[in-house]
Amino acid sequence: MINIKPFGSWKSPITTETIIAKTVGLGGVNSLAKDIYWLESRPQEKGRNVLVKQAADGTVADITPQPFNVRTRVHEYGGGAYLITEQAIYFSNYSDGRVYQQIGRETPQALTAESKKRYTDFVVDSPRNRLICVCEDHEVADSEPNNSIIAIALETGEITPLVTGSDFYTSPRISPDGTQLAYISWNHPSMPWDSSYLYLNDIQSDGSIDRVELVAGDTQESICEPKWSPDGLLYFNSDRNDWWNIYRRNSDGTIECLHEMAAEFTYPHWVFGLSTYSFISAELIVCAYSQDGSWHLGSINTKTKQFQAIDTPYTNISSVQASVDGDALFIAGSPNQPTAVTKFNLETQQATTIKRSGELNIDPGYLSIPQAISFPTDDNLIAHAWYYPPQNKDYTAPSGELPPVFVKSHGGPTAAAAVNLNLRIQYWTSRGFAYLDVNYGGSIGYGRQYRERLKDNWGIVDVRDCINAVQYLVEKQLADGERLVISGGSAGGYTTLAALTFYDTFKAGASYYGVSDLEILAKDTHKFEARYLDGLVGAYPEAKATYQERSPLYHIDRLSCPIIFFQGLEDKVVPPNQAEMMVEALKQKGLPVEYVTFPNEGHGFRQAANIKTAIESEFAFYSRVFDFETAD
């Protein structure tokens, strides 16, 4: 029997308990011999990252014991926090930042001394019995940390600087014969997706670095993911043709594109340890690529440069590795299946699930399947979004009623809406909300030109695209124009606050650790993003007037709708004062406002209880704003 109840009042089996109790985050897939490794982020353990192994016989076990947390804070966003070798596992521990060595199932032992250094992106230099990695040194108080590539002696933990002088480094990679080191660097004010450089050095017999060669990179070129093939050639991603495609440095030093294609074969370097392609052999690459906002699997023959698309049910693929038996390993998700560590046989095209993010048995009748939409936006351009209609097999709305719409402005802003089974989205759609995940201008997945729409225009292009996206739904009779909400975190929180301040399209909103004062953010954030706003807004302080013009905090008089704020009090990326100033100003104006804080959270919420509180508080807030009775 179908119940007739207003949108927002539908009872759903997808609860916050479902979201937090039965799911884990998955990342960092790797393999050694026939063993498969991955990281699990567990909300039930306060977000602890645990290294897990599936042995050749199929048994699965945790590798890192309590209380170790395999996570690094380099660039604050981390990634690349562990390395597996035949002799031991090496990892960065979140609580103290030290590098630990773990042999078998023994208790991990600290390799590096106590300090204010952070480490990531490890490779082993076997001939010299050392690790090579990226180091971020915070030893000097009240100054910007120093980044470098270093060597760590495996016997003593002694640190030797190898490459210094640039503001940032990533992806140190040693050639198969151990004689060359490749790495990427970039400098302020560029972000790595704006301008970065790939260098190649010779490693001398004493371990020192000599002969620097610039392989690729320019002021208008971004380089990602350098990797050595089994036969000793250097490969990398470059967006010199507008799209991140895979290139190769040949033995004579010439550079060639393996397969030119209007698709992205990598992600922007927000985190370390990216892997969107891997070598099955010297002649075959397995790769993930993004087109029209969705990820796919493919292969490239390195001899013939022939590209082959591989048909899979997945729409989100990451952490691509090759297994010892020639299969592809990756993390994959789709709109109706949980994200999973997956093994894929390239010959039979059969997939084996190694580990799901959650063992969920949700009737498909409660799941909303996203629809790709492209809509007209300012300057006669087209922008993109994913539209999720309300869906609950037990309910329908009264005749003639249109649904409220939850508009999501993703973070970054150089990021994108992921297309997979996201229970936080299904929480809303199964209760009667439509959900619109906007890939506004500046998002990745549509080429460099689309990404650069946001250049000097943050707070304008992103906001207008969110507004034009939801107005497109209203015009199509898919949304109630009087019940539109917008929500976002971090940079998406800024887009949310700007939309609510400078326009009256939305009737309520939620800011998760969002930016309210661009000027303060320009003066008070971490090194990685310290000059990010130069390209998004303008150089500071020269463009101070523009910063104030686009900052919601300076225009509280234009706000006229309720807002709820969520903030981790240990956030170093967007400090709590960004939310607190806005909340106080709204209180003084007499507008409905709520402020929910979490003392032990940073930038993004990882603890189960806090995730539950945030989701339920936001839903309850909108129920009061729009005066509908919730079924929970």
Side-chain angles (χ1 to χ4, degrees):
M1 177 179 175
I2 301 296
N3 300 292
I4 300 176
K5 294 201 75 171
F7 289 115
S9 300
W10 300 350
K11 185 174 181 59
S12 169
I14 303 172
T15 65
T16 51
E17 286 77 10
T18 309
I19 295 171
I20 64 174
K22 298 182 180 181
T23 60
V24 297
L26 297 172
V29 172
N30 232 309
S31 66
L32 181 67
K34 292 191 176 182
D35 297 333
I36 300 172
Y37 296 80
W38 64 89
L39 285 175
E40 292 186 9
S41 177
R42 298 175 176 171
Q44 304 86 352
E45 298 183 32
K46 298 184 177 180
R48 185 171 80 98
N49 280 7
V50 183
L51 184 61
V52 183
K53 179 179 82 171
Q54 183 190 72
D57 62 5
T59 58
V60 176
D62 291 356
I63 300 300
T64 44
Q66 289 272 19
F68 293 99
N69 186 352
V70 184
R71 184 180 165 201
T72 178
R73 287 187 59 187
V74 178
H75 291 181
E76 299 300 334
Y77 296 108
Y82 81 94
L83 172 71
I84 303 166
T85 72
E86 293 181 354
Q87 291 73 35
I89 293 169
Y90 301 92
F91 66 89
S92 177
N93 184 47
Y94 183 72
S95 63
D96 58 13
R98 301 170 75 180
V99 178
Y100 283 77
Q101 179 186 67
Q102 183 176 358
I103 300 174
R105 303 305 296 274
E106 297 178 6
T107 301
Q109 301 297 314
L111 179 61
T112 57
E114 291 185 3
S115 69
K116 292 185 179 180
K117 293 181 173 67
R118 304 172 182 177
Y119 311 91
T120 189
D121 222 350
F122 306 101
V123 291
V124 66
D125 185 3
S126 298
R128 301 161 191 88
N129 198 31
R130 63 184 184 175
L131 295 179
I132 292 178
C133 67
V134 173
C135 175
E136 186 176 82
D137 190 345
H138 293 252
E139 295 286 358
V140 180
D142 300 322
S143 69
E144 194 172 70
N146 180 61
N147 291 59
S148 61
I149 295 176
I150 65 166
I152 305 174
L154 293 181
E155 290 186 358
T156 65
E158 180 182 357
I159 292 175
T160 303
L162 295 179
V163 186
T164 61
S166 293
D167 290 324
F168 302 97
Y169 295 94
T170 184
S171 309
R173 300 293 181 259
I174 300 175
S175 60
D177 63 6
T179 65
Q180 293 182 297
L181 175 70
Y183 62 87
I184 291 172
S185 71
W186 67 96
N187 290 296
H188 286 317
S190 295
M191 299 302 286
W193 46 85
D194 298 324
S195 169
S196 53
Y197 299 84
L198 174 61
Y199 291 97
L200 184 61
N201 298 62
D202 291 336
I203 305 177
Q204 303 303 305
S205 57
D206 64 357
S208 61
I209 300 298
D210 194 15
R211 194 194 70 83
V212 180
E213 174 191 336
L214 174 61
V215 176
D218 203 314
T219 57
Q220 295 298 310
E221 181 179 10
S222 171
I223 308 296
C224 298
E225 285 194 71
K227 293 186 179 183
W228 293 94
S229 65
D231 57 353
L233 296 180
L234 182 60
Y235 290 70
F236 58 93
N237 270 295
S238 167
D239 67 353
R240 61 179 61 181
N241 69 344
D242 190 44
W243 301 86
W244 272 311
N245 287 178
I246 300 176
Y247 287 74
R248 172 173 62 203
R249 177 189 180 275
N250 294 313
S251 55
D252 62 359
T254 58
I255 306 296
E256 64 175 332
C257 182
L258 279 196
H259 179 75
E260 191 165 332
M261 186 173 172
E264 306 277 38
F265 283 78
T266 190
Y267 297 88
H269 181 83
W270 277 105
V271 298
F272 293 88
L274 292 174
S275 185
T276 54
Y277 71 99
S278 187
F279 291 92
I280 299 294
S281 67
E283 296 187 1
L284 185 63
I285 288 174
V286 61
C287 55
Y289 63 97
S290 174
Q291 277 188 320
D292 300 323
S294 182
W295 283 85
H296 311 270
L297 193 68
S299 66
I300 304 176
N301 184 301
T302 62
K303 301 300 182 184
T304 65
K305 298 196 287 188
Q306 181 179 1
F307 170 81
Q308 167 112 31
I310 299 172
D311 186 31
T312 76
Y314 311 121
T315 52
N316 198 24
I317 301 173
S318 62
S319 201
V320 178
Q321 301 287 345
S323 69
V324 69
D325 52 10
D327 289 343
L329 299 170
F330 47 79
I331 295 172
S334 68
N336 56 5
Q337 290 294 328
T339 299
V341 178
T342 304
K343 188 174 184 179
F344 190 88
N345 186 292
L346 296 178
E347 291 186 4
T348 65
Q349 299 200 2
Q350 295 298 306
T352 302
T353 298
I354 306 297
K355 169 68 178 184
R356 293 190 188 278
S357 59
E359 296 301 328
L360 303 172
N361 296 310
I362 298 175
D363 188 304
Y366 298 109
L367 297 180
S368 178
I369 303 302
Q371 304 167 17
I373 65 169
S374 297
F375 55 90
T377 191
D378 294 9
D379 299 322
N380 295 315
L381 296 173
I382 297 296
H384 311 281
W386 290 97
Y387 165 65
Y388 295 77
Q391 176 62 38
N392 187 315
K393 69 171 189 175
D394 300 328
Y395 291 90
T396 189
S399 178
E401 183 183 358
L402 294 173
V405 177
F406 184 113
V407 174
K408 173 69 178 297
S409 55
H410 65 69
T414 310
V419 191
N420 54 16
L421 178 57
N422 185 335
L423 292 183
R424 297 191 197 190
I425 294 177
Q426 303 297 334
Y427 177 91
W428 294 94
T429 56
S430 61
R431 284 166 172 74
F433 274 72
Y435 193 102
L436 190 61
D437 214 346
V438 183
N439 275 325
Y440 49 76
S443 303
I444 64 165
Y446 304 92
R448 185 178 181 108
Q449 290 185 42
Y450 192 83
R451 203 164 72 236
E452 290 188 339
R453 285 188 189 179
L454 215 54
K455 183 176 174 58
D456 298 327
N457 283 307
W458 192 32
I460 298 175
V461 166
D462 50 322
V463 173
R464 291 296 305 163
D465 282 357
C466 286
I467 289 172
N468 287 327
V470 77
Q471 287 181 339
Y472 177 82
L473 292 189
V474 171
E475 291 169 4
K476 296 290 184 180
Q477 293 290 297
L478 296 172
D480 182 349
E482 296 303 313
R483 293 190 294 172
L484 308 177
V485 305
I486 184 169
S487 179
S490 190
Y494 166 69
T495 300
T496 292
L497 292 174
L500 294 170
T501 301
F502 301 118
Y503 298 90
D504 59 4
T505 302
F506 299 101
K507 308 308 177 184
S511 169
Y512 285 74
Y513 35 90
V515 178
S516 63
D517 188 338
L518 294 174
E519 187 178 4
I520 287 181
L521 183 65
K523 296 186 291 185
D524 183 20
T525 191
H526 59 126
K527 180 183 178 181
F528 179 63
E529 295 183 84
R531 302 290 299 277
Y532 191 14
L533 301 194
D534 283 30
L536 296 174
V537 182
Y540 186 86
E542 294 84 349
K544 181 175 180 177
T546 303
Y547 278 71
Q548 294 182 356
E549 178 185 335
R550 297 188 198 169
S551 295
L553 186 65
Y554 286 87
H555 305 278
I556 298 294
D557 58 303
R558 299 180 64 174
L559 266 171
S560 59
C561 70
I563 308 176
I564 185 169
F565 293 81
F566 299 92
Q567 182 69 44
L569 298 184
E570 293 185 1
D571 195 335
K572 306 301 182 185
V573 178
V574 180
N577 62 351
Q578 289 276 318
E580 290 162 359
M581 292 184 298
M582 196 77 171
V583 170
E584 186 58 33
L586 287 166
K587 284 181 177 178
Q588 291 181 9
K589 192 177 180 183
L591 283 172
V593 61
E594 291 187 21
Y595 184 39
V596 183
T597 62
F598 303 109
N600 298 316
E601 293 282 16
H603 197 65
F605 305 151
R606 294 173 175 267
Q607 300 180 36
N610 298 340
I611 294 170
K612 173 182 170 68
T613 296
I615 295 170
E616 292 180 352
S617 297
E618 186 175 2
F619 183 62
F621 184 72
Y622 297 146
S623 74
R624 292 192 291 275
V625 170
F626 296 126
D627 193 26
F628 63 80
E629 183 179 346
T630 68
D632 296 311

